[in-house]
Amino acid sequence: MTLKTEPVTINLGPQHPSTHGVFRFRVTFDGEQIADIEPIFGYLHRGSEKLAEERTYAQVVTLTDRMDYVSSMLSNQAYILAVEKLCGIEPSPRGVWLRMIAAELQRIASHMVAIGFLLQDLGTWGTPLTYAMRERESVLEMFEMLCGARITNSYLRPGGVFMDAPVEFLPVLDSFLSALPHRIDELESYLTGNEIIFARTKGVAVLKPEIAINASLTGPMIRASGIDWDLRHRDPYDYYDRVSFKRPLHRAGDNFARYWVRMQEMRECITIIRQCVEQMEPGPVRPSHDDVPYLLRPPVGDAYVAIEGSKGELGFYLVSDGGISPYRCHVRAPSFINLTLLREMLIGTLMGDLFVSFGSVDLNMGEVDR
Amino acid sequence: MSETILDSSLFRNVYCYVAGGSEGCVSHGYSEGFLPAGYEWLAFAITAAVLAILFIQGALGGVLALIWGERRILARFQNRVGPNRWGPFGSLTSVADAIKTMFKEDIVPDQADRFLFNLAPVIMVVPVLMVFAVIPIGVGTLVADLNIGLLFVIAITSASGLAIAMAAWSSANRIAIFSGLRAVALLVSYEIPMALSLLGVLMITGTLSMTGTIEAQDVPFIIVQPLGFLVFFLAALAEMSRTPFDLTEAESELAAGHLNDYSSMKFGVLFLAEWAATVAGAMIIATVFLSGWRGFSPIPSHIWFVGKVVAVIFLIIWIRATWPRLRIDQVLSLAWKGLFELTMINLIVTAILTAAMADREADGSLFSAGELWIMAAVNWAVFFPSVYLIGKLLASKPYEDDSSEPQELYPVATEEKAFEGAAD
């Protein structure tokens, strides 16, 4: 008697513990090996880009919060920069420094979430996740001091931020920044040298640099493939040309490299924030209402601004017809574009690698589906 | 010593208390029982029922305590408080969970094989509860002192793999089938190092009986048989499907694996069986490698045993809190390339040692503490190099361009270097 085997097709998601939201795979398994995979998304589509056409320029900020809800400050920043470019607004220096601080803090929080959930997918039963979430919690508390909100901040305004930081903010920030390197060391001593994590992630879902460039990957994904592409350095926006920082690179391009790059980037965020605090001077946090009114009416034209989001190049393309709301708003969502190589990453790997590789992309369904 | 254990065997005590009269009981001080002569079969049935209820309730109580303890300990590992609402320190949370589980709707999927679907929880839970029968939880406190105790344990725990495969197959769920396949693969692979690791202990004790194994441990076998303990512990983790071998219900991959389609008390029973397997596994480890209920005098033997079991369970929870899960290929290669070789080394060394030591066959006596210490010294001398070698063999290789300088791993790339891969 001969045993007949056949591939089995399974739907994983949208209801699944580790699809990072409502993502769905249709996977064909040959035994434990992945023979084919088809990503299906759109379960969290809320039409944010269309909704933006019905709102004033100031109101759209609240929509950007809800796109990438684990790094809403960065979404705010990308949108506000696009509006400033469209209207030709000169931002106030203190506002710019404050939003850089907020953005870098958000990057720390976002990377913490990425690392925590990647390890959750590895099956660590939440221990690294809770430690990562503890750091994120401190960041969110600081956001609460800055703007009263924790997740959906809407902190930024065209020309700066809507409110100056309270006097208690800087001491709290300072103590957080002095504690964070030890916390990262602690997390890293637990994780980076861990044999099981290394065995599970090394050499899995390798992305060669040329493939990564072809698919226009950005952010930690492409830096893990050894390409030094960081918009803060390549195309400085805000005052990133006035701060210096290292860009962690790893040549392997596998899951471990992506984890490792994020881990090191958090350390660089600390040095950036310290430089921002040093260079920040008292002054208005945004231009007066005479210069930048609430109801902006930008001249006819369009503007595209891309920033280095926590997940990659986060771009906003705005078209103005001279009215009070954008004629068209398009988002270049890094989570979405980084997903395009999912097939190349996953075919041939085992089922256990599926969600680990998926988690190493660090995507956010709110941003993928918008 | 063997005599005293049999004297105070639980089964005999209860039986004689009910039946009395028979010569075996009279010689142990039970001259009269409740039942008249000729009703021994009734006495036998009553004894069996009493002991079964006693031990099953004990096991279930242990499981509830374990679930509570696991949640509290995991919470402490994770910077959390854990369940703290029901009862002191949340100790009644498990009871509340059990009641909630009971009142859930019992769903059987349309396409499920109803017979196997309903049978699987039973197949899962019965063998685990039967294990408790042969484990002495104190001096003479055991249901049956089987002379094949260890063999019985090894044989009967294998049924869990069958039950998982059964549950997975019958629920007609493709994700569950993955779980079933993994369970069988794990069972086939880890049963062998598990059984072989106990052979070293058998060579020293010369008996399969649990009480005999405890009596032989003048020095706990974790000291005498470090390799055996390591392999047995890891294989037991795999058999219990605990982290890092929890592939059958890898939450981040298979959701709940074979439990996906179960609800209500069928889920409860399957869940309970897994936790009971953890308690049983910890008890076996405590009996075979930590000298069971033996300890020093003022503290009663039952407390010693419970303390050792709790220590083993704490170790298991600790591992669960800190280690990620291995992938299926790594799990299987660990069994065949790592643990199998370690057991072989252990077997050879132990065989040579037992042959070289006093000829036990001649007088049937056990090894003395001195002889056990000599064995321990040799075994530990073998332990470190062999574990190191196997570890080197199985460890993943670091990156090729990795240098001792950590800075080298993330150079600030220059313009030329950064795009060298992108040239074409």
Side-chain angles (χ1 to χ4, degrees), chain B residues 95-104:
Chain B
V95 179
D97 283 346
I99 292 169
K100 183 204 72 172
T101 312
M102 261 182 247
F103 285 101
K104 289 258 177 176

Side-chain angles (χ1 to χ4, degrees), chain B residues 88-398:
Chain B
F89 301 103
S91 53
L92 292 180
T93 313
S94 310
V95 179
D97 283 346
I99 292 169
K100 183 204 72 172
T101 312
M102 261 182 247
F103 285 101
K104 289 258 177 176
E105 187 188 352
D106 187 18
I107 299 167
V108 181
D110 254 3
Q111 306 201 334
D113 184 331
R114 290 191 81 97
F115 178 68
L116 288 183
F117 189 81
N118 293 333
L119 188 64
V122 182
I123 301 278
M124 184 90 177
V125 79
V126 167
V128 177
L129 292 178
M130 281 167 81
V131 169
F132 288 97
V134 296
I135 296 171
I137 56 174
V139 182
T141 316
L142 79 167
V143 177
D145 186 15
L146 289 187
N147 54 1
I148 52 154
L150 274 177
L151 193 63
F152 175 78
V153 165
I154 293 286
I156 210 157
T157 48
S158 311
S160 72
L162 175 72
I164 294 178
M166 204 184 250
W169 184 261
S170 64
S171 48
N173 179 327
R174 290 180 190 177
I175 294 178
I177 285 173
F178 271 89
S179 166
L181 294 177
R182 287 175 173 190
V184 174
L186 242 66
L187 177 80
V188 170
S189 307
Y190 277 86
E191 198 68 11
I192 291 161
M194 192 181 192
L196 286 181
S197 64
L198 286 179
L199 273 190
V201 173
L202 282 185
M203 283 181 193
I204 297 172
T205 60
T207 174
L208 279 163
S209 146
M210 286 296 208
T211 41
T213 311
I214 294 175
E215 277 169 47
Q217 296 187 59
D218 286 335
V219 179
F221 282 155
I222 187 176
I223 298 170
V224 184
Q225 288 274 308
L227 271 179
F229 173 75
L230 181 75
V231 173
F232 187 83
F233 184 67
L234 291 177
L237 282 183
E239 291 270 310
M240 296 181 248
S241 70
R242 303 283 302 197
T243 318
F245 309 107
D246 56 342
L247 293 164
T248 52
E249 48 183 314
E251 185 177 295
S252 56
E253 298 157 27
L254 301 174
H258 58 285
L259 299 177
N260 267 350
D261 278 325
Y262 280 90
S263 66
S264 186
M265 220 40 216
K266 278 178 213 149
F267 171 82
V269 166
L270 280 168
F271 193 75
L272 180 142
E274 267 169 40
W275 255 252
T278 305
V279 179
M283 281 181 167
I284 295 165
I285 290 169
T287 308
V288 178
F289 289 102
L290 301 177
S291 71
W293 40 257
R294 286 177 76 158
F296 40 83
S297 135
I299 306 169
S301 61
H302 300 77
I303 304 287
W304 274 108
F305 184 72
V306 169
K308 285 168 184 174
V309 171
V310 167
V312 174
I313 286 179
F314 181 78
L315 186 61
I316 293 172
I317 296 174
W318 190 356
I319 287 174
R320 179 180 169 186
T322 45
W323 283 7
R325 183 184 310 122
L326 283 164
R327 211 165 49 209
I328 180 85
D329 57 328
Q330 293 162 344
V331 167
L332 298 187
S333 76
L334 177 68
W336 290 107
K337 293 181 192 164
L339 300 188
F340 188 68
E341 286 160 21
L342 286 179
T343 49
M344 279 302 158
I345 294 170
N346 185 39
L347 271 186
I348 292 165
V349 173
T350 314
I352 294 171
L353 281 173
T354 44
M357 295 283 181
D359 46 339
R360 190 187 48 212
E361 290 82 1
D363 53 356
S365 65
L366 300 165
F367 286 106
S368 68
E371 285 167 327
L372 288 177
W373 279 115
I374 296 170
M375 275 189 196
V378 177
N379 271 320
W380 279 99
V382 174
F383 177 79
F384 287 112
S386 53
V387 169
Y388 178 78
L389 276 179
I390 299 289
K392 271 282 169 199
L393 208 70
L394 287 178
S396 47
K397 307 282 173 291

Side-chain angles (χ1 to χ4, degrees), chain A residues 8-10 12 16-18 29 31-32 120-127 130-131 134 190 194-200 202 204 210 213 226-228 234 246-252 254 256 260 350-353 355, chain B residues 74 76-80 174-175 178 182 243-244 246 251-255 320-330 394-399 401 406-413 415 417-422 424:
Chain A
V8 54
T9 304
I10 293 186
L12 293 172
H16 190 279
S18 47
F29 284 105
E32 283 263 339
Q120 180 79 349
D121 293 343
L122 277 166
T124 44
W125 276 105
T127 309
T130 47
Y131 282 82
R134 180 183 64 185
Y190 167 27
N194 189 319
E195 172 60 30
I196 299 182
I197 291 179
F198 194 59
R200 283 290 303 273
K202 188 210 164 199
V204 176
E210 35 301 7
I213 290 175
I227 316 280
D228 182 21
R234 293 274 164 186
K246 281 192 281 187
R247 283 101 56 203
L249 288 184
H250 201 295
R251 294 199 190 83
D254 54 11
F256 183 81
W260 190 89
L350 297 178
M351 185 185 205
D353 297 326
F355 286 107
Chain B
L74 267 182
R76 296 314 300 166
F77 274 112
Q78 299 177 352
N79 262 334
R80 298 186 283 120
R174 290 180 190 177
I175 294 178
F178 271 89
R182 287 175 173 190
T243 318
D246 56 342
E251 185 177 295
S252 56
E253 298 157 27
L254 301 174
R320 179 180 169 186
T322 45
W323 283 7
R325 183 184 310 122
L326 283 164
R327 211 165 49 209
I328 180 85
D329 57 328
Q330 293 162 344
L394 287 178
S396 47
K397 307 282 173 291
Y399 288 106
D401 56 356
Q407 207 66 13
E408 278 291 300
L409 266 172
Y410 60 117
V412 177
E415 302 283 317
K417 219 174 168 184
F419 286 94
E420 63 189 11
D424 31 40

Side-chain angles (χ1 to χ4, degrees), chain A residues 217-276:
Chain A
L217 297 194
T218 42
M221 287 275 287
I222 203 164
R223 289 196 286 279
S225 292
I227 316 280
D228 182 21
W229 184 258
D230 188 332
L231 285 176
R232 291 174 291 175
H233 159 68
R234 293 274 164 186
D235 182 15
Y237 50 93
D238 277 353
Y239 293 156
Y240 277 105
D241 46 354
R242 302 189 203 173
V243 293
S244 64
F245 56 95
K246 281 192 281 187
R247 283 101 56 203
L249 288 184
H250 201 295
R251 294 199 190 83
D254 54 11
N255 286 343
F256 183 81
R258 288 189 273 276
Y259 149 77
W260 190 89
V261 164
R262 291 200 178 94
M263 208 71 175
Q264 305 308 322
E265 257 180 36
M266 288 194 289
R267 297 179 193 275
E268 296 311 313
C269 292
I270 299 170
T271 63
I272 295 176
I273 297 173
R274 286 220 184 276
Q275 291 172 56
C276 292

